[in-house]
Amino acid sequence: NQIQENNLIVLGITKNGELIQFSDFQAIEKYVNENKSQEYAPEDRELLEKLEKMTLQERWDFWQHELSRCIKCYACRAACPMCYCSRCTVDCNQPQWIPVGTHSLGNLDWHITRAMHVAGRCVTCSQCGEACPLDIPVHLLNFKIAEDIYKMFGSKAGFTLRQESSLSNYNIKDKENFII
């Protein structure tokens, strides 16, 4: 609810390269649903499948290696259409929730916090990963969470105006198979 319809002009480009202007949010929703395509790039799909086949330890090692290269430039945050908080938790220093320094624990804290913050809202646009100057595939964290949310709750972000974030919503019918 941070964007007001009457303060917005939305333009789009069709698959044929034509410019279109949407009259309101319902027109955007209708267009998105008629032209659904949330397919991942082949290289992203391939890496996701490779990650799925890894053991937990191998996956941990993969992400530890990838995220250890992060310099916390926050390009991923700046490029994300769903990161729009007026003040991000990483900008707060009283209390300081996420260490500022670029070390493995602080980098892991940052990326896991960010991935969980946009969970249920990520529209899988890949912009966070594309913006990374070190080519860290941070978008794959979001893709995996989006897939898990779809499997568990049956919802995909970006297709309806009325959808609440899956992870900030309680439904008595939700499965509790995560509780051991």
Side-chain angles (χ1 to χ4, degrees), residues 147-155 166-167 169-180:
E147 286 182 355
D148 288 348
I149 286 173
Y150 182 70
K151 286 176 193 170
M152 288 186 238
F153 303 107
S155 65
S166 298
L167 297 185
N169 215 352
Y170 175 76
N171 184 331
I172 195 132
K173 294 179 183 177
D174 285 344
K175 297 174 187 163
E176 295 181 3
N177 56 353
F178 61 91
I179 300 174
I180 297 175

Side-chain angles (χ1 to χ4, degrees), residues 77-92:
R77 176 181 73 176
C80 179
M82 301 316 296
C83 279
Y84 51 74
C85 295
S86 57
R87 186 163 186 219
C88 180
T89 190
V90 298
D91 297 330
C92 298

Side-chain angles (χ1 to χ4, degrees), residues 8 18 22 31 54 60 93 114 116 121:
L8 188 67
E18 299 168 10
F22 296 98
Y31 181 82
M54 291 181 183
W60 175 255
N93 60 4
R114 186 185 169 293
M116 292 308 294
R121 295 182 299 132

Side-chain angles (χ1 to χ4, degrees), residues 98-174:
I98 298 174
V100 176
T102 57
H103 51 76
S104 59
L105 181 58
N107 290 358
L108 184 65
D109 284 350
W110 159 241
H111 288 287
I112 296 299
T113 299
R114 186 185 169 293
M116 292 308 294
H117 185 72
V118 298
R121 295 182 299 132
C122 175
V123 293
T124 61
C125 68
S126 305
Q127 292 305 298
C128 54
E130 290 180 27
C132 180
L134 299 172
D135 295 321
I136 301 170
V138 294
H139 60 292
L140 295 183
L141 288 170
N142 299 332
F143 287 7
K144 175 63 175 137
I145 292 171
E147 286 182 355
D148 288 348
I149 286 173
Y150 182 70
K151 286 176 193 170
M152 288 186 238
F153 303 107
S155 65
K156 283 188 178 184
F159 288 105
T160 180
L161 297 169
R162 292 164 295 285
Q163 180 177 323
E164 294 181 23
S165 175
S166 298
L167 297 185
S168 64
N169 215 352
Y170 175 76
N171 184 331
I172 195 132
K173 294 179 183 177
D174 285 344

Side-chain angles (χ1 to χ4, degrees), residues 47 51 54 58-67 137:
L47 188 50
L51 285 166
M54 291 181 183
E58 290 169 333
R59 245 180 282 157
W60 175 255
D61 293 342
F62 172 84
W63 286 113
Q64 284 287 88
H65 169 74
E66 288 296 321
L67 298 178

